[in-house]
């Protein structure tokens, strides 16, 4: 059975292995999307939305905490009916808060996808051009290919970032340079 496996591999990759023409490299697309100028600008816009939502949630959470503390202090002096009613109201407020929190998180994830989705097709086109220029047979995405190790000399991420920033300068809207990895 062993002779069959190499024969199958050779049949699937005709001439590449035998001719020595197989060249591969990798990129970290996730890092590249976040580090190109357009990605930094998108992340800065997202950060401002996240900060505003975070501030509102913290304010609401603090109010709920005060209501809970007040309820706990007064619970011993309340009638069973009043305690049950206020306890249910507080539980409903907490549940509603959790639902708004989850909805906000989903909204932010959708906004992030929307903001960054414009970058991916342009990056893929540039990556194809870069791969052809370098004579590469395949380029793997480090973050999703299962690539466990490869020498840094095969990493095209920085070249892809430079090429993207050069090709799409007009698309980046005043991204702060110091905001790279937040």
């Amino acid at each position: 059975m062993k002779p069959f496996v190499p024969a199958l591999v050779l049949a699937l990759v005709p001439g590449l292995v035998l001719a020595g023409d197989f060249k591969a490299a990798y990129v970290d697309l996730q890092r590249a999307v976040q580090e190109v100028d357009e990605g930094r600008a998108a992340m800065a816009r997202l950060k401002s939305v996240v900060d505003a939502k975070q501030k509102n949630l913290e304010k609401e959470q603090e109010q709920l905490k005060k209501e809970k503390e007040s309820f706990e202090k007064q619970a011993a002096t309340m009638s069973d009916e009043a305690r049950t009613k206020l306890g249910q109201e507080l539980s409903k407020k907490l549940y509603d808060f959790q639902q708004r929190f989850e909805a906000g998180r989903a909204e932010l994830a959708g906004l992030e996808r929307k903001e960054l989705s414009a970058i991916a097709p342009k990056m893929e086109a540039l990556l194809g051009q870069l791969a052809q220029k370098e004579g590469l047979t395949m380029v793997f995405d480090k973050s999703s290919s299962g690539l466990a190790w490869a020498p840094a000399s095969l990493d095209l991420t920085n070249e892809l970032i430079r090429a993207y920033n050069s090709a799409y300068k007009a698309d980046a809207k005043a991204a702060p340079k110091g905001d790279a990895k937040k």
Side-chain angles (χ1 to χ4, degrees), residues 75-133:
T77 61
M78 294 180 181
S79 68
D80 287 345
E81 185 179 318
R83 186 173 41 251
T84 301
K85 182 180 177 189
L86 284 175
Q88 288 173 344
E89 288 175 9
L90 186 58
S91 292
K92 183 177 178 350
K93 285 181 180 181
L94 288 169
Y95 176 79
D96 291 344
F97 174 78
Q98 289 172 335
Q99 294 300 309
R100 282 191 302 281
F101 177 80
E102 290 301 320
R105 188 161 50 180
E107 178 188 346
L108 289 173
L111 186 57
E112 181 177 16
R113 274 191 305 279
K114 180 183 172 198
E115 285 280 346
L116 299 178
S117 68
I119 297 171
K122 295 185 270 185
M123 192 163 281
E124 287 174 12
L126 282 172
L127 185 56
Q129 293 170 8
L130 187 59
Q132 286 180 342
K133 182 180 123 193

Side-chain angles (χ1 to χ4, degrees), residues 17-37:
V17 176
L18 292 176
D21 293 340
F22 183 82
K23 281 181 67 178
Y26 68 94
V27 294
D28 186 341
L29 286 175
Q30 186 176 0
R31 187 185 115 213
V33 167
Q34 291 177 353
E35 289 187 16
V36 294
D37 292 340

Side-chain angles (χ1 to χ4, degrees), residues 41-82:
M43 295 306 284
R45 289 189 299 274
L46 284 169
K47 185 178 181 332
S48 68
V49 171
V50 167
D51 289 348
K53 286 188 178 292
Q54 181 77 26
K55 187 182 261 187
N56 288 338
L57 284 172
E58 286 172 358
K59 195 182 300 182
E60 190 175 345
Q61 186 176 24
E62 187 61 33
Q63 180 61 35
L64 284 170
K65 184 179 174 184
K66 287 178 184 177
E67 285 183 40
K68 182 180 180 228
E69 289 171 356
S70 174
F71 171 75
E72 288 172 349
K73 285 179 184 175
Q74 297 174 3
T77 61
M78 294 180 181
S79 68
D80 287 345
E81 185 179 318

